[in-house]
Amino acid sequence: MIKRFFTGICLFAVAAVGAWAQEERGVTYPQAEWCKASSILMHTPGQELFNGVIHPAAGLFENYFDVDEAASEHTTYINMLKNNGIKVITVMEVLKNVNIEELRKLAVSVLKYDTSSLPAEEQTKQEKHRKEVLEEMSRADLIRCILLQPTVKLTKTDNNTGYQAQYIQNPLMNLYFTRDQSITTPRGHVICNMNSSQRAPEISIIEMCYRYLGLEPILHISGKGRMEGGDYIPAGNISMIGCGMRTNDEGIRQMMEADVFGHDTVLVVRDHKLWQKQMHLDTHFNIIDKDLCTMVSSRLYAKPGDPGYNTCDIWARKPGTKDYVLWKKDLSFVEFLRSRGFTIIPIDVDDEEHYANNFLTIAPRHIMAVAGQSATLQQRFSDAGVTVEWVPLDNLIDGFGAAHCMTQVLKRYSLK
């Protein structure tokens, strides 16, 4: 059980601080954000993206963008990652190779016939017909079913075949943000519980991918718990987890109670701004190396009481148990980072608006970032010894996400 426990606080403080101080003493830090990326799960968007761009806000997007250009940008990004020796596994590759009966089982749950306007005997007949159609479907059409989530609303007519239909789709246009449906901790893979019901069906596909790859998830966030992967950043032997628009305390509680973080210290970073463009921790904070990070200037220079002022709570494992206890709360996140020895590179508002902070670190001081940033930011990265590969993502970022959001790093090399 997770408790707020202050008896013997000195012991917890020593344990927590001791863990933080070991960074320079050669211990292993599995899955730290700055470790070299080895394999990544991604999804190149296709036909399912179109419905999202014709009404961007309803699709959880920022603006209209070109679907074909977006797919091309994504392919370019994948090739850039592969050129760095990273194995990229795509959702489509899994769907094309997974056991077809697994695909069919998933398709059965998403293809709907709405027969509510038909007589009872016709409803029974149409349900039988739906199952017959699914049994005959090719793999390619099963995949289309899963990605487009169609509903056929049937009515009777005296013309032609005796039926007419309205065709409704609820396509998975946000699936290309593979950061969000799961998180990868040193202990394994956690399946998230999405904040938006629109995105909930993505979970089944990502879980299928994990199982196909032999990576059985260790936890599913459930009930009132909310968790999205963009809020999780492993940092040495600390897990950082954002709590705000998309992740809540109940989701974090479930993770701590199940002991899936794999770290003795969990830092809960509290977002008080609750702004869509900064809906996850990785949209306003990111890590490049064990002593180097970025933060958007509106957060970095915020004062106490400002909406952009991030606070953090420190949870430390009770020695000899799996239980976490609240050690400190309502600390300044910026001051915490500085106390840990981090240099913080500020990202100014124009670059922030162009998703400069949402980069992917693929190795210490080596990042993949959205192209088109200011000369000022480019110089700041250069001065800090950061290698930046600039990825052209002008269309894809209009979906409210960028280079980090489009990747789920399944494995990183541990540093010693």
Side-chain angles (χ1 to χ4, degrees):
M1 180 182 294
I2 302 167
K3 308 169 186 175
R4 294 188 177 188
F5 187 84
F6 292 96
T7 305
I9 191 66
C10 291
L11 288 175
F12 304 148
V14 169
V17 174
W20 301 336
Q22 290 182 49
E23 194 166 90
E24 298 301 327
R25 296 209 290 267
V27 297
T28 297
Y29 301 117
Q31 295 294 341
E33 190 73 10
W34 56 81
C35 294
K36 183 173 174 55
S38 172
S39 60
I40 298 176
L41 178 67
M42 300 178 71
H43 173 63
T44 301
Q47 181 183 349
E48 76 279 359
L49 202 57
F50 177 71
N51 288 52
V53 302
I54 59 178
H55 193 295
L60 304 181
F61 294 159
E62 186 172 10
N63 298 300
Y64 166 81
F65 56 93
D66 187 305
V67 170
D68 292 329
E69 288 296 323
S72 178
E73 289 171 358
H74 198 275
T75 300
T76 296
Y77 184 21
I78 287 176
N79 289 335
M80 292 173 71
L81 290 166
K82 288 181 176 179
N83 288 341
N84 281 280
I86 298 169
K87 181 178 181 181
V88 177
I89 303 142
T90 68
V91 170
M92 191 60 73
E93 287 170 347
V94 173
L95 295 179
K96 287 180 177 179
N97 288 282
V98 72
N99 184 293
I100 194 167
E101 291 310 314
E102 289 296 310
L103 268 189
R104 203 179 312 279
K105 182 179 178 181
L106 186 52
V108 165
S109 70
V110 300
L111 173 61
K112 309 292 185 186
Y113 281 8
D114 181 348
T115 58
S116 57
S117 67
L118 301 180
E121 64 274 13
E122 281 290 333
Q123 293 182 19
T124 302
K125 177 182 176 181
Q126 289 305 317
E127 175 57 18
K128 179 182 178 182
H129 184 55
R130 184 183 76 93
K131 292 178 178 178
E132 290 171 347
V133 169
L134 283 160
E135 281 298 318
E136 294 179 7
M137 263 191 200
S138 67
R139 178 181 291 271
D141 284 339
L142 288 170
I143 293 171
R144 290 187 179 98
C145 242
I146 291 165
L147 294 179
L148 298 178
Q149 307 267 307
T151 295
V152 182
K153 185 176 177 61
L154 287 164
T155 54
K156 290 284 287 181
T157 176
D158 293 332
N159 295 326
N160 302 319
T161 62
Y163 297 99
Q164 60 185 15
Q166 179 183 4
Y167 298 90
I168 305 164
Q169 294 180 354
N170 290 290
L172 304 184
M173 66 277 287
N174 286 274
L175 183 61
Y176 75 96
F177 292 126
T178 51
R179 176 68 51 171
D180 296 338
Q181 307 90 351
S182 64
I183 70 171
T184 299
T185 78
R187 284 272 163 80
H189 307 285
V190 175
I191 300 298
C192 296
N193 195 9
M194 310 297 285
N195 182 62
S196 169
S197 59
Q198 179 177 317
R199 297 196 64 185
E202 299 171 25
I203 296 299
S204 297
I205 298 174
I206 296 303
E207 186 170 3
M208 177 183 285
C209 291
Y210 278 125
R211 291 197 167 127
Y212 174 79
L213 296 169
L215 305 171
E216 187 69 25
I218 58 175
L219 176 68
H220 292 67
I221 304 299
S222 61
K224 294 183 179 179
R226 296 292 179 268
M227 176 75 64
E228 295 193 5
D231 279 317
Y232 173 73
I233 297 178
N237 44 16
I238 295 177
S239 282
M240 295 183 177
I241 184 78
C243 184
M245 284 190 72
R246 302 294 183 87
T247 296
N248 65 11
D249 283 298
E250 171 60 17
I252 296 169
R253 184 199 67 79
Q254 289 181 30
M255 289 189 65
M256 286 196 281
E257 191 165 82
D259 192 27
V260 299
F261 281 112
H263 291 138
D264 288 335
T265 306
V266 175
L267 188 79
V268 178
V269 182
R270 297 198 173 275
D271 176 17
H272 307 284
K273 191 171 184 177
L274 305 180
W275 181 37
Q276 169 65 19
K277 200 154 187 175
Q278 295 176 357
M279 83 289 283
H280 293 135
L281 181 61
D282 67 0
T283 60
H284 51 88
F285 165 76
N286 211 336
I287 292 182
I288 300 175
D289 204 346
K290 63 184 180 180
D291 57 358
L292 185 65
C293 64
T294 60
M295 189 178 294
V296 300
S297 57
S298 59
R299 304 271 183 162
L300 179 58
Y301 303 123
K303 303 298 182 185
D306 292 346
Y309 183 80
N310 283 350
T311 60
C312 60
D313 303 335
I314 302 173
W315 292 79
R317 195 191 301 276
K318 183 179 177 182
T321 75
K322 294 182 179 180
D323 297 344
Y324 287 92
V325 296
L326 181 61
W327 179 43
K328 296 280 188 181
K329 67 178 300 183
D330 296 329
L331 302 177
S332 162
F333 182 42
V334 171
E335 291 308 311
F336 172 83
L337 292 169
R338 287 174 173 155
S339 73
R340 286 272 295 160
F342 277 99
T343 296
I344 306 173
I345 297 176
I347 294 181
D348 298 332
V349 64
D350 287 347
D351 294 319
E352 171 191 341
E353 291 284 330
H354 202 60
Y355 292 88
N357 190 78
N358 196 251
F359 55 81
L360 175 69
T361 299
I362 62 170
R365 279 176 159 74
H366 187 171
I367 67 175
M368 315 291 287
V370 178
Q373 309 304 336
S374 69
T376 298
L377 182 59
Q378 293 182 47
Q379 188 62 51
R380 286 172 182 166
F381 281 141
S382 178
D383 291 345
V386 180
T387 297
V388 185
E389 296 190 45
W390 299 104
V391 189
L393 297 173
D394 283 348
N395 287 276
L396 285 169
I397 62 173
D398 276 327
F400 274 126
H404 195 261
C405 291
M406 297 173 203
T407 60
Q408 179 60 226
V409 182
L410 301 175
K411 184 176 181 181
R412 291 182 184 268
Y413 295 111
S414 297
L415 296 180
K416 294 185 178 181

